[in-house]
Amino acid sequence: MTRDLGIPTLLERPDILSSAALCAELGFGFVELNANLPQFADPDAVDRRALRRAAQELGVGFTLHLDERLDACDFNPRVRDAWRDTFRRALELAAEAEMPLVNLHLSLGVYFTLPQGRAYLYEREGARFLAGLEALRSLAEREAPAGLAVCVENTGGFPAFAREGLERLLESPRFGLTLDVGHLCAAGNADADFFAAHADRLRHMHLHDCRGGQDHLPLGAGALDWRGSLALARARGVRAVVEVKTEAALRASARALREL
């Protein structure tokens, strides 16, 4: 294996040291802590001693996947401020634990389903949406330590207004892109052109297999060219998380990687 391949936080092993032990056992280099889980939701409450122990005794590093609901553009200023403060505290945690990156989903906000399709409120309130992202960018530029990347992940395809927002974030060298190859496959390669146009901003990858609309499959269990994706990560010098959801799937993926 390589230090640049990592594992996700699994529900079967939700605590830091158990995750780190599995990571070391399988020959991976780091664990991506998932702030959707309650033990990592509050950055201030994350066990720093366990992080240091995992690094010192097991040689395991960490990255951080922020809460998928994090929304720095929320129309409610109290909610928006709470998310921004959570983001700031997550950057502090990343700095203390010497994490190289935090991963972020770009919230598309609420949409109304109309006869002609989805009407996104952030698209209709585009100036407010962009202002919220610019405030997030400024916060990262002030608070993120040198060398820490804030990486935005693709999910189901970025609408045009979201692409404009991403362009605003990418104006800062603090921000980069996470290519989730399974999400890309499941969305019919909807964001392939955006990633091709911003290939120099790729900083992170979520690697899993995909068949049709089903993703997060073990490597080798779907139809995705995951070997090509891994080669891209290595060519670009970016970290990749084998983002499957169970320990059995992770062990199967580790076997596929060893065979490769």
Side-chain angles (χ1 to χ4, degrees):
M1 296 291 187
T2 169
R3 305 297 300 169
D4 289 335
L5 285 176
I7 71 169
T9 311
L10 303 175
L11 289 176
E12 297 155 279
R13 293 183 180 242
D15 65 278
I16 290 171
L17 291 176
S18 179
S19 290
L22 178 63
C23 179
E25 176 196 341
L26 296 178
F28 291 94
F30 67 95
V31 178
E32 186 150 282
L33 301 180
N34 192 328
N36 293 288
L37 295 171
Q39 57 269 41
F40 306 123
D42 178 4
D44 291 348
V46 175
D47 189 343
R48 269 68 167 173
R49 288 194 300 176
L51 293 175
R52 288 193 296 271
R53 183 178 170 190
Q56 293 167 0
E57 298 181 8
L58 298 170
V60 169
F62 296 90
T63 59
L64 180 63
H65 190 306
L66 300 178
D67 192 318
E68 293 174 10
R69 300 168 299 167
L70 192 148
D71 188 352
C73 305
D74 196 287
F75 296 136
N76 185 326
R78 288 174 291 277
V79 174
R80 184 173 65 238
D81 289 347
W83 279 126
R84 288 178 182 171
D85 186 58
T86 299
F87 178 69
R88 180 184 62 79
R89 293 173 186 272
L91 295 179
E92 290 178 351
L93 168 64
E96 291 176 27
E98 298 182 344
M99 297 181 186
L101 65 92
V102 296
N103 189 71
L104 174 70
H105 283 201
L106 182 64
S107 175
L108 303 182
V110 174
Y111 60 85
F112 282 32
T113 304
L114 303 179
Q116 63 270 33
R118 292 179 178 180
Y120 288 94
L121 298 187
Y122 282 168
E123 183 175 20
R124 290 176 173 245
E125 297 288 336
R128 297 172 69 175
F129 174 66
L130 293 176
L133 292 182
E134 288 169 357
L136 187 73
R137 184 188 68 199
S138 297
L139 178 58
E141 289 172 340
R142 290 195 309 271
E143 302 291 339
L148 175 68
V150 180
C151 298
V152 182
E153 175 187 348
N154 60 303
T155 52
F158 295 121
F161 77 92
R163 290 187 175 207
E164 184 179 359
L166 265 175
E167 296 282 2
R168 296 291 180 94
L169 292 178
L170 292 174
E171 289 174 3
S172 169
R174 279 284 185 271
F175 282 83
L177 295 172
T178 294
L179 173 58
D180 188 305
V181 297
H183 290 169
L184 187 69
C185 170
N189 293 317
D191 294 316
D193 60 332
F194 188 88
F195 277 91
H198 298 83
D200 61 321
R201 305 307 295 276
L202 183 63
R203 298 287 182 272
H204 194 43
M205 183 179 288
H206 284 173
L207 184 65
H208 44 107
D209 217 330
C210 172
R211 184 181 297 279
Q214 185 180 8
D215 55 10
H216 298 288
L217 299 176
L219 300 181
L224 183 71
D225 179 18
W226 62 269
R227 296 172 182 83
S229 298
L230 179 60
L232 173 63
R234 288 175 168 164
R236 293 285 180 180
V238 303
R239 294 171 181 82
V241 175
V242 180
E243 199 191 24
V244 292
K245 300 301 183 182
T246 67
E247 184 171 332
L250 185 60
R251 290 183 179 278
S253 298
R255 286 194 294 272
L257 286 166
R258 283 194 294 271
E259 291 170 3
L260 178 66

